[in-house]
DNA sequence: CTGTAAGCCTTACGCCGTAAGGTAGGCCCC
DNA sequence: GGGGCCTACCTTACGGCGTAAGGCTTACAG
């Protein structure tokens, strides 16, 4: 890797590999978060990974916050690419298919986020307007409006979807969920936990006893996140469809 | 040194004010987060507020993480108290009223969280099973099941509600939202922002132009969070009701 | 040849959470 | 009533964080 000839006279113009760019910094940051968790993404560790010193990063990002903004942008762009590869533009989608088109887009977004489990917690904390996030949402708005929903209803719809629009929803009780640190699997002695639950939350225990995919006497197996996500999403989409059908609102 | 009489012989028994307890530590932590934001809640600043040294806190909480667990618990207990003061127990609620009962409970929870804007971001990161969180959710499960929903449907319902069950939902683009630091109001020159939006997100701009409570040429006024929260909540509740009506699912 | 700017490095500061250990008073039990 | 122990506090110190300030080299422009 470039070892020899450190003083190559190349202008570092086009595809120079040895020169660091913001894009390369961000890519490495994403890779680091993927492999070591969000907590391991520090200026120092990122620099180490890139073979430079921490302070040198500041020539490519303004601050750690800016780094995280950039990282979020990379992820959203990845979503945009994935969606673009599968979906026609909103204008080329038959209006009547808005619901399925929306559904597919959102599930595609989700599939990208599943590759970056730490991403939701980063996206949650970015309140700014990344151009890519905006563009993504704009396509959803277009789809809904072309589907016949009034802008008023579209507006409500976007709020109702919330973070679901980007493919995630935070769930209370979700061990190892969107937290980011894969090493943090809180596993207190499940015996005690179940015993506590049984008298503190009898109805929950009764429910879990009945719902198929969990045997309450085993270690708490968790839910089928994908199925649950789709259930909630469909509940909202169906509700929107009904509201749309009975004339705007 | 508490000024006079440092060696008061009182046994620090019942309601002694001078002795620190975990409860007092947690109460002060909540107060500090309320007034200065979550970012200002550090072991050192909390100790300063209590007139002790940082390390002394470790006699009452095991770690910062434990402190945050405790803080979350305080908030949830506050929710439980508020709900308990207004609502009959699930067993005393007519089954047919499940939807309204659930709605009221959740909106009560929300009203508590509005007093602690930083609380959602703490609750989001607690993956453990606080007894109070569990108890709260258990009551919701009871209400739903007594209302005639199968446990299977109840289970889906809890997932669909997600954090909404506790009264919040994260929204992308929500300046000064559940972040926690009240001092961080990102206000980039709104002129530029709107200009950028206009060509990056024409549909969003069109929507905002039409939706009543925002004049797009003014500084971006934000949405009526409460109304939007209720819209999303009702969408889900109505959908659940419909599913319940046509027999389990 | 000189000026300037970019890209990287060194050093250092003030935060953070917390490990380790010290001390002073109150309690129990012999 | 005296020795030991427990509790609640303190002091000191460590390693890690983000980053301010400034220095050194190299590449290119005039």
């Amino acid at each position: 890797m470039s070892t020899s000839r450190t003083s190559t006279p190349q202008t570092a113009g086009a595809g120079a590999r040895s020169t660091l760019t913001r894009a390369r910094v961000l890519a490495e940051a994403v890779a680091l978060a993927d492999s070591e968790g969000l907590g391991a993404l520090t200026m120092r560790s990122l620099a180490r990974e890139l073979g430079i010193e921490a302070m040198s990063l500041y020539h490519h990002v303004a601050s750690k916050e800016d780094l995280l903004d950039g990282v979020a942008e990379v992820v959203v762009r990845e979503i945009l690419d994935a969606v673009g590869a599968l979906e026609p533009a909103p204008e080329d989608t038959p209006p009547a298919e808005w619901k399925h088109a929306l559904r597919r887009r959102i599930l595609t977004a989700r599939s990208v986020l599943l590759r970056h489990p730490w991403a939701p917690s980063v996206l949650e904390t970015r309140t700014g307007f990344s151009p890519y996030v905006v563009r993504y949402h704009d396509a959803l708005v277009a789809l809904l409006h072309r589907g016949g929903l009034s802008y008023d209803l579209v507006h409500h719809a976007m709020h109702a979807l919330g973070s679901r629009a980007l493919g995630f929803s935070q769930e209370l009780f979700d061990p190892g969920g969107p937290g980011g640190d894969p090493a943090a699997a809180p596993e207190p002695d499940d015996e005690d936990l179940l015993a506590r639950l049984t008298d503190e939350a009898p109805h929950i225990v009764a429910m879990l006893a009945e719902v198929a995919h969990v045997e309450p006497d085993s270690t708490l197996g968790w839910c089928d996140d994908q199925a649950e996500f789709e259930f909630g999403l469909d509940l909202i989409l169906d509700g929107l469809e009904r509201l749309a059908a009975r004339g705007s609102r």
Side-chain angles (χ1 to χ4, degrees), chain A residues 7-226:
Chain A
S7 61
T8 42
Q10 66 179 13
T11 0
R17 294 218 327 335
S18 60
T19 307
L20 218 47
T21 63
R22 180 180 168 99
R24 267 166 51 77
V25 167
L26 296 181
E28 188 62 40
V30 168
L32 192 67
D34 281 343
S35 63
E36 308 285 336
L38 193 58
L41 176 56
T42 71
M43 299 305 267
R44 287 160 157 86
S45 68
L46 176 56
R48 196 178 316 124
E49 216 71 20
L50 289 163
I52 62 172
E53 296 298 313
M55 288 310 292
S56 301
L57 289 170
Y58 286 85
H59 284 272
H60 303 101
V61 297
S63 62
K64 171 121 194 218
E65 201 62 14
D66 182 43
L67 174 72
L68 291 177
D69 283 349
V71 161
E73 198 174 286
V74 167
V75 171
V76 175
R77 193 156 42 195
E78 197 177 328
I79 289 176
L80 238 35
D81 287 349
V83 167
L86 297 177
E87 295 291 317
E91 311 85 69
D92 299 332
T93 306
E97 290 177 20
W98 68 268
K99 202 172 77 164
H100 291 104
L102 208 69
R103 200 185 123 97
R104 283 196 312 269
R105 279 179 118 89
I106 291 178
L107 291 181
T108 300
R110 178 175 174 79
S111 73
V112 171
L113 289 190
L114 291 178
R115 299 202 293 265
H116 306 295
W118 45 268
S121 58
V122 173
L123 290 171
E124 267 171 24
T125 58
R126 299 308 89 191
T127 72
F129 294 81
S130 150
Y132 299 100
V133 180
V134 167
R135 195 171 309 164
Y136 176 79
H137 282 82
D138 194 62
L140 299 191
V141 167
L143 231 34
L144 285 161
H145 189 55
R146 279 174 48 84
L149 283 70
S150 73
Y151 270 138
D152 190 48
L153 185 52
V154 170
H155 175 236
H156 289 312
M158 298 303 289
H159 275 283
L161 285 170
S163 62
R164 245 181 262 263
L166 266 174
F168 67 98
S169 61
Q170 90 269 54
E171 311 253 13
L172 270 354
F173 318 129
D174 197 0
D181 188 351
E187 199 158 334
D189 13 341
D190 289 346
E191 298 286 327
D192 282 16
L193 194 149
L194 197 72
R196 263 183 44 215
L197 280 186
T198 301
D199 56 51
E200 267 168 15
H203 306 92
I204 291 178
V205 170
M207 173 181 75
L208 292 182
E210 194 169 311
V211 172
H213 54 278
V214 170
E215 306 94 53
D217 60 339
S218 84
T219 172
L220 280 182
W222 287 101
C223 304
D224 182 341
D225 286 343
Q226 181 68 25

